[in-house]
Amino acid sequence: MKFLQCAFCGLLLTVTAAAQTAPSTPSTVTPKPASPQAGATPASPTISTLGGDQVKGPEHPLTLDQMKVLYVAMGYDKQVADMDANREKMIAQNKTRNPYMPDTVWQDLDASFNKIDYQAALYDVYKKYLSTEDAAKLIEFAKTDAGKNYFANAATLNREGTMAIQRQQQEVSQQVQARHKDEIEAAMKKYRDEHQSKPAPTPSGTAPAAPSGSSAPAATPAPATTPAKPPTTPQN
């Protein structure tokens, strides 16, 4: 649930990187899909699962009005408010790190962020997974004390839950390595012995080169043996 702050930081990095890197290829425009005909019932969105399977989304996705209610219930509005409060400080820091950047760029960046419709952006995501009925139940749950408590701590639960899973995986990995310590060390030694570098073979008839820094005299090649020519007899 911290993706909004991350998005702002990421854009700052993208802006500064773009000023230093020239585009190597011209941008291409991807044509938009044709709009559905008037009166036609929109097809259910297709969702790809982690296993790669295609699953149909809800036939009646939640409405934008429902998304606006969930936007507040799930704390997205507070995230945006926190981001706005930190934006001036973050821009000031990046201006110091990138003094070559014109002020108009930072002014445009700040103004453009104020125009983002986060509710509409999130709606495009949530409508692929939540139906109108699901959203209605979530909204009712958000009105209860249990719902308020859950949504207020949802970001922390997700973050700490992920960290707990990673810690368990690290501990298991260390335990497995400890149980196979001797096997791993023996396999490592065997691999190094089999793959250690060996001197290249010396071609036949040539002397090996003296090591660098050695004072040993270089070998003198043997003189070539040319058959002697017979003496010539002077002509009368």
Side-chain angles (χ1 to χ4, degrees):
M1 301 263 296
K2 295 293 183 183
F3 77 96
L4 297 179
Q5 291 93 325
C6 295
F8 180 65
C9 297
L11 183 55
L12 289 177
L13 293 175
T14 302
V15 169
T16 55
Q20 304 174 33
T21 306
S24 57
T25 56
S27 59
T28 57
V29 179
T30 303
K32 296 182 179 180
S35 302
Q37 296 179 354
T41 303
S44 301
T46 302
I47 305 169
S48 296
T49 64
L50 292 177
D53 300 327
Q54 299 295 317
V55 182
K56 289 182 63 176
E59 294 185 4
H60 303 286
L62 82 166
T63 65
L64 180 57
D65 288 337
Q66 288 178 315
M67 182 68 248
K68 291 179 179 179
V69 176
L70 289 176
Y71 180 83
V72 176
M74 301 177 74
Y76 286 117
D77 59 329
K78 295 180 180 178
Q79 292 186 43
V80 173
D82 292 340
M83 182 186 68
D84 290 339
N86 293 329
R87 185 186 305 157
E88 183 176 349
K89 178 180 178 182
M90 296 176 67
I91 288 180
Q93 292 175 347
N94 279 271
K95 288 176 67 176
T96 302
R97 296 170 185 167
N98 305 277
Y100 57 85
M101 190 75 70
D103 287 340
T104 53
V105 175
W106 302 114
Q107 294 168 2
D108 189 7
L109 180 67
D110 187 58
S112 298
F113 261 90
N114 286 327
K115 297 178 182 178
I116 295 178
D117 189 346
Y118 292 110
Q119 295 176 347
L122 292 173
Y123 174 66
D124 289 338
V125 176
Y126 277 75
K127 71 181 181 181
K128 295 189 297 183
Y129 302 93
L130 290 182
S131 66
T132 304
E133 294 79 8
D134 293 336
K137 292 178 181 179
L138 278 176
I139 292 173
E140 289 300 317
F141 176 62
K143 295 177 182 178
T144 65
D145 291 339
K148 293 177 182 178
N149 182 60
Y150 172 76
F151 285 122
N153 295 283
T156 302
L157 289 171
N158 289 336
R159 182 176 64 255
E160 294 188 3
T162 300
M163 293 172 61
I165 292 173
Q166 292 174 343
R167 282 197 300 269
Q168 288 297 315
Q169 293 176 339
Q170 291 173 355
E171 290 177 6
V172 169
S173 177
Q174 293 171 356
Q175 292 169 2
V176 171
Q177 291 183 57
R179 288 197 297 267
H180 296 270
K181 180 176 179 293
D182 294 339
E183 297 175 51
I184 295 173
E185 291 180 350
M188 186 182 301
K189 182 179 183 303
K190 180 180 178 182
Y191 180 86
R192 288 175 177 173
D193 292 343
E194 293 176 349
H195 294 79
Q196 64 182 357
S197 59
K198 298 179 180 180
T202 304
S204 176
T206 61
S212 176
S214 173
S215 58
T220 303
T225 57
T226 304
K229 294 183 179 180
T232 56
T233 302
Q235 299 292 329
N236 289 333

